Amino acid sequence: TRSSLLQSGMVAGWDNGFMLGSADGNYTLKLSGVMQVRFMADLRDNSGGDDTVYGFENTRTWLGFSGNVVDQTWGYKVKGAFGSNDGVFDLEEAYVTKAMDGMTVKFGQFKPQYLREENISTGRQQAVERSLANERYNQDYVQGIELGFAQDNFKASVAVHDGFGSRNTAAVNQQSEFAMNARADMLLAGNWAQFDDYAGWRGQEYGARVGAGVYMSKEAYGTANPNRAQCFDRNSLPPPARCNSPNG
């Protein structure tokens, strides 16, 4: 098998992760993952219960693979994570990208460019968790399409999607009639790669950037109905009564 792979020109190795690919680089597969295990303790006084609570937690475990197909302008990524409480594997990202003339089109399920802190990987945070402000206002994953534009010192993106936090939802079961967001960033010093994490090491090149994001959405028509998809189920005859109501 090894001889066959060598004869076909297939290459394998380490490129910030284990990688397989064709000799011309048009077909690649890169494996990645993160595991974060913690010991946590909560020490309290006069709580009315157990004042000392502690234990171990598998906070994050995710696996992903990415690469390109056909040629190096077509990319893809699929990533899933195991729940910290139940161990259930859940899809987080699944998208395809197409690069062309300084622009990139992304479609599928992904994190749009909105809050910078949320777009930095969980494996590259400075502290044990993101800030409370980020947890309150972050975009989570969406289903939609995003257009990105990049130059040496400027980046911008616009996305149209089903609304923040719409991952793994059906097309007819949305809480937003329309949603979009945009973000622009300008590099003042250094290079973009410096901002893939929060670490700034002694002797490293100085870097500075500024940016801002905006989000707009229109609430779904009528009363939000988490079971709206059932109204479009052909096997549901007669349809539920709520489907015939003005807000159904």
Side-chain angles (χ1 to χ4, degrees):
T1 302
R2 181 174 180 273
S3 298
S4 298
L5 292 176
L6 291 174
Q7 292 173 4
S8 68
M10 186 173 183
V11 296
W14 183 266
D15 181 17
N16 198 26
F18 179 71
M19 185 270 295
L20 294 171
S22 59
D24 58 10
N26 289 333
Y27 293 86
T28 60
L29 171 64
K30 182 179 178 181
L31 305 180
S32 59
V34 164
M35 183 170 65
Q36 295 177 344
V37 180
R38 300 175 183 168
F39 175 81
M40 304 180 68
D42 187 6
L43 310 178
R44 302 169 292 178
D45 292 324
N46 303 319
S47 66
D50 189 352
D51 289 340
T52 304
V53 180
Y54 58 87
F56 291 92
E57 176 183 282
N58 190 5
T59 305
R60 290 185 180 90
T61 300
W62 60 257
L63 298 172
F65 59 90
S66 59
N68 51 268
V69 293
V70 183
D71 59 51
Q72 297 184 32
T73 65
W74 286 96
Y76 67 90
K77 182 177 182 181
V78 177
K79 187 187 81 170
F82 295 93
S84 59
N85 296 321
D86 53 18
V88 175
F89 192 73
D90 188 42
L91 179 67
E92 289 190 343
E93 291 183 292
Y95 62 79
V96 174
T97 61
K98 172 64 176 178
M100 47 187 177
D101 299 327
M103 296 187 296
T104 301
V105 179
K106 177 188 294 185
F107 51 95
Q109 181 166 292
F110 54 89
K111 279 186 180 180
Q113 296 295 319
Y114 177 60
L115 286 186
R116 179 63 195 151
E117 185 176 1
E118 182 68 15
N119 283 110
I120 295 180
S121 172
T122 54
R124 297 186 174 187
Q125 296 292 314
Q126 183 72 23
V128 68
E129 283 292 351
R130 295 182 175 96
S131 68
L132 293 177
N134 180 86
E135 295 308 297
R136 175 63 179 85
Y137 296 106
N138 78 78
Q139 64 270 32
D140 194 60
Y141 296 92
V142 305
Q143 293 175 326
I145 185 169
E146 181 179 74
L147 176 64
F149 173 77
Q151 291 184 331
D152 291 342
N153 298 313
F154 179 76
K155 286 183 177 181
S157 64
V158 178
V160 178
H161 46 78
D162 291 334
F164 286 174
S166 59
R167 59 170 161 171
N168 301 329
T169 55
V172 296
N173 189 18
Q174 304 300 333
Q175 300 302 304
S176 298
E177 202 70 36
F178 171 79
M180 69 173 296
N181 71 274
R183 182 178 176 87
D185 290 271
M186 180 171 291
L187 184 67
L188 304 179
N191 60 78
W192 293 111
Q194 290 178 260
F195 299 95
D196 290 342
D197 57 31
Y198 282 114
W201 304 104
R202 179 176 296 179
Q204 187 178 13
E205 181 184 5
Y206 173 74
R209 67 183 286 176
V210 294
V214 61
Y215 170 65
M216 298 182 296
S217 68
K218 183 179 184 300
E219 187 177 0
Y221 173 76
T223 303
N225 188 345
N227 297 314
R228 185 180 176 190
Q230 295 183 17
C231 299
F232 298 85
D233 186 357
R234 294 183 177 87
N235 297 320
S236 180
L237 297 174
R242 64 176 177 275
C243 300
N244 299 320
S245 67
N247 294 324

